[in-house]
Amino acid sequence: MLRLFGLLALLLLALALALSVGARPVSLAMALEALHSFDPTNPDHVTLAAIRLPRMAAGLIAGAALGIAGTIMQVMTRNPLADPGILGVNSGAAFALLLGATLLGRSDQASVALLSLPGAALASALVFILGGGLRGDVGPVRLTLAGAALNALLLSLVTAIVLIRQDTLDLFRFWVAGSLTQAASRPLAEMALLAAAGGALALAMAPQIEALSLGSALSRGLGTKPRRVQTAALAVVTLCTGAAVAVAGPIAFLGLMVPPLARIVAGHSLRRALIASALMGATLLLLADTLGRVVMPPAEVRAGIMTALIGGPVFMWVARRLRPGASA
């Protein structure tokens, strides 16, 4: 429990940095003043209200949601390399978004962003089916290969749309690497509710998901209904990933690197690991976004690129820890 409080303290520090660091430095005292007595003629207050606060909210939502989705995917598949990005769920959401933007136009960003949910749901279902989920023998290698194949297919379709419609190129540049810069135009409240619903469902189903991670036969002996638990887990991944992509685009590697780090902090309890993953995911995304503002001034490095730079070494560390023959 003490470690969880430590993660909460780190999250508060990341929130303070997200509000105060940037092209226009703003003190914490000014940020607090803007919260309780907003002055529309004060440039610092306007910067906070129009840019920093929406950006901070998007980082909280997307980071926590991806941390939870990654933890559920890794536990369900018994694969420490499972991640919404690597398994094609992010690409499914981004493809649906780009397709919606092409068909509906780019004037209504909020409606277009909502298309990420069916995209994430379809991609999750396809990876689950191709990975052997309907037969009840989801294997980590098969699931990873199915996700990689689906990811390549969806990226090819995205490229085809961009080649056919040149006006989608700018949108593609945003969605090829996640960012929090357009948070003010995203449906933050709606996506926060969806991510919260996914997190609540994950916490409620945690004991059954833990039982199912032992194997279908053993979990049935413990009174678990595998098909029902798999459906609930798929709903969690869909809600959380869809909400994250809708507000921030495809953030790479966050759902992969957060779960193993969270387990170091939280131990073997899945509920504690989920809470730690949400706190750690939000903290890492906010720090990555803040760091991206200052490494190449006056330009910004997208948060998705910063998480990829951090997540690449973590991916290799996790891969080196895998034991041959340990996969299910």
Side-chain angles (χ1 to χ4, degrees):
M1 186 60 71
L2 192 60
R3 292 180 175 181
L4 290 181
F5 282 116
L7 287 180
L8 183 60
L10 285 176
L11 176 59
L12 294 176
L13 175 63
L15 291 172
L17 292 173
L19 287 177
S20 58
V21 176
R24 185 185 185 90
V26 178
S27 67
L28 284 179
M30 183 65 72
L32 294 174
E33 181 185 319
L35 290 176
H36 65 73
S37 57
F38 177 72
D39 180 3
T41 63
N42 187 323
D44 288 342
H45 289 194
V46 174
T47 299
L48 286 166
I51 300 175
R52 301 273 173 87
L53 282 173
R55 203 162 169 163
M56 184 191 73
L60 277 174
I61 297 167
L66 287 176
I68 291 172
T71 299
I72 291 296
M73 292 188 82
Q74 292 187 8
V75 171
M76 283 295 295
T77 62
R78 289 164 282 167
N79 182 359
L81 298 180
D83 164 71
I86 291 176
L87 296 187
V89 182
N90 276 352
S91 299
F95 170 69
L97 248 156
L98 194 63
L99 186 63
T102 303
L103 297 177
L104 301 177
R106 298 175 53 185
S107 59
D108 189 356
Q109 291 281 350
S111 298
V112 170
L114 291 176
L115 293 172
S116 63
L117 282 175
L122 285 174
S124 300
L126 280 174
V127 170
F128 185 70
I129 292 170
L130 293 173
L134 293 180
R135 298 190 300 273
D137 60 343
V138 179
V141 175
R142 190 185 300 116
L143 200 68
T144 304
L145 291 175
L150 183 66
N151 197 34
L153 173 63
L154 290 170
L155 289 178
S156 298
L157 292 174
V158 166
T159 304
I161 292 175
V162 172
L163 290 176
I164 294 172
R165 294 283 299 269
Q166 292 292 324
D167 57 331
T168 61
L169 183 58
D170 287 341
L171 194 64
F172 171 73
R173 289 173 59 192
F174 172 77
W175 289 108
V176 75
S179 172
L180 304 181
T181 55
Q182 299 185 17
S185 64
R186 304 296 170 196
L188 296 178
E190 294 87 346
M191 294 303 107
L193 289 175
L194 288 179
L201 180 60
L203 289 173
M205 296 296 295
Q208 292 91 331
I209 292 174
E210 278 185 305
L212 188 59
S213 70
L214 301 174
S216 297
L218 185 55
S219 67
R220 285 193 184 93
L222 295 173
T224 300
K225 296 180 179 179
R227 190 63 58 86
R228 181 181 298 178
V229 178
Q230 288 168 346
T231 302
L234 193 64
V236 170
V237 172
T238 300
L239 289 171
C240 290
T241 306
V245 173
V247 300
I251 300 292
F253 287 108
L254 196 65
L256 182 146
M257 64 177 161
V258 165
L261 299 175
R263 278 194 290 273
I264 294 174
V265 174
H268 296 292
S269 167
L270 181 56
R271 277 184 173 152
R272 283 203 301 269
L274 287 168
I275 295 171
S277 295
L279 294 172
M280 197 174 288
T283 301
L284 285 176
L285 184 54
L286 287 170
L287 290 176
D289 181 55
T290 304
L291 187 61
R293 301 177 201 170
V294 297
V295 291
M296 294 179 63
E300 287 192 12
V301 180
R302 293 169 180 263
I305 295 175
M306 295 302 300
T307 58
L309 291 174
I310 300 170
V314 176
F315 180 89
M316 290 187 282
W317 171 67
V318 173
R320 285 178 59 84
R321 292 183 66 199
L322 289 178
R323 290 173 300 173
S327 59

